[in-house]
Amino acid sequence: MEDPETDFLCGLLELQYGLPVQDSLKRCAQHVPWARGWPEDIKSFWNAEAFMWGHKIDTRIRKIIEDELQFLAGGTNLDIGCGAYSYIPSVGLDVSEKMLEFNERLTQRVVGNLEGFLPFADECFDSVTAILVLNYVWDYGKLFLEVRRVLRPKGIFMIVLYRGKINEWQRRQQVHDFSGKKWSLLLKEAEFTVKRYTKEGLMFLRGEKGIN
Ligand SMILES: C[S@@+](CC[C@H](N)C(=O)[O-])C[C@H]1O[C@@H](n2cnc3c(N)ncnc32)[C@H](O)[C@@H]1O
């Protein structure tokens, strides 16, 4: 083995082209600190995805989301599960340090897990965005409570989910595929006032925190 990291990255490319390299790649991952446990370990899985993230989401989709989120751009935004791309300047939190590294719109990078507590003080953000991420989070109930806690009164929680078929590789990580109606209900139960709409295969949920 020459350089395990280079071998691993080349193997990821081969996998993209459908070559049957998964078993050898798995062995190779054991020698790369940020990929150990790939693809089962979620941190390693998303670290590996980070290298090609720029090509994985259509620029048209990016533009629609970006336009919809502009109304939040003047405030302090926390982007949870920000990946390698944030749509407005944000404090970014993600389980993958590689995703954070490649994200150029972040004012602060925080490695963290959305299944736990958010490492921020109460009421310190004007808005929180969760873009193409909630379908990967088991304990969304706890996360909603945490989002409420870090949002200022009347703060906005903006969720975006893709309604089309996501690629098979990423679908392996998905833990829920709820309808828009169900997500609205869950947000209402977490005491957000909810407005839901769709645009070009994307579902937007805008939750507002009350003043209590
Ligand atoms: C499909 S990507 C979306 C990234 C970005 N929001 C975008 O629109 O391009 C999902 C992101 O959620 C992150 N993620 C998944 N599960 C997570 C968890 N439990 N805690 C923190 N981040 C997580 C992944 O690392 C990945 O960056």
Side-chain angles (χ1 to χ4, degrees), residues 46 53 62 81-83 87 94-95 99 112-114 131-133:
W46 288 111
W53 198 245
R62 291 268 190 234
C82 60
Y87 302 78
D94 203 284
V95 73
M99 285 280 192
N113 196 329
L114 297 175
I131 317 300
L132 313 175
V133 64

Side-chain angles (χ1 to χ4, degrees), residues 42-43 45-47 49-50 53 57 62 65 79-87 93-97 99-100 103 110-116 129-138 160 166 170 173:
I42 70 152
K43 198 179 175 79
F45 175 87
W46 288 111
N47 273 339
E49 291 301 289
W53 198 245
I57 305 218
R62 291 268 190 234
I65 301 175
D79 191 13
I80 55 175
C82 60
Y85 192 94
S86 290
Y87 302 78
L93 180 139
D94 203 284
V95 73
S96 154
E97 70 269 22
M99 285 280 192
L100 288 165
N103 191 323
V110 180
V111 177
N113 196 329
L114 297 175
E115 305 290 353
T129 46
I131 317 300
L132 313 175
V133 64
L134 279 192
N135 46 325
Y136 301 107
V137 178
W138 283 107
V160 182
I166 56 176
Q170 282 156 32
Q173 297 295 324

Side-chain angles (χ1 to χ4, degrees), residues 157-190:
F157 182 23
M158 197 75 185
I159 298 170
V160 182
L161 289 160
Y162 186 53
R163 295 289 80 191
K165 206 171 168 197
I166 56 176
N167 90 40
E168 199 188 319
W169 186 243
Q170 282 156 32
R171 209 166 49 222
R172 285 164 52 130
Q173 297 295 324
Q174 184 165 272
V175 294
H176 310 288
D177 187 15
F178 294 156
S179 65
K181 204 169 165 188
K182 168 108 183 184
W183 280 119
S184 295
L185 203 71
L186 292 168
L187 270 176
K188 281 180 194 155
E189 280 170 10

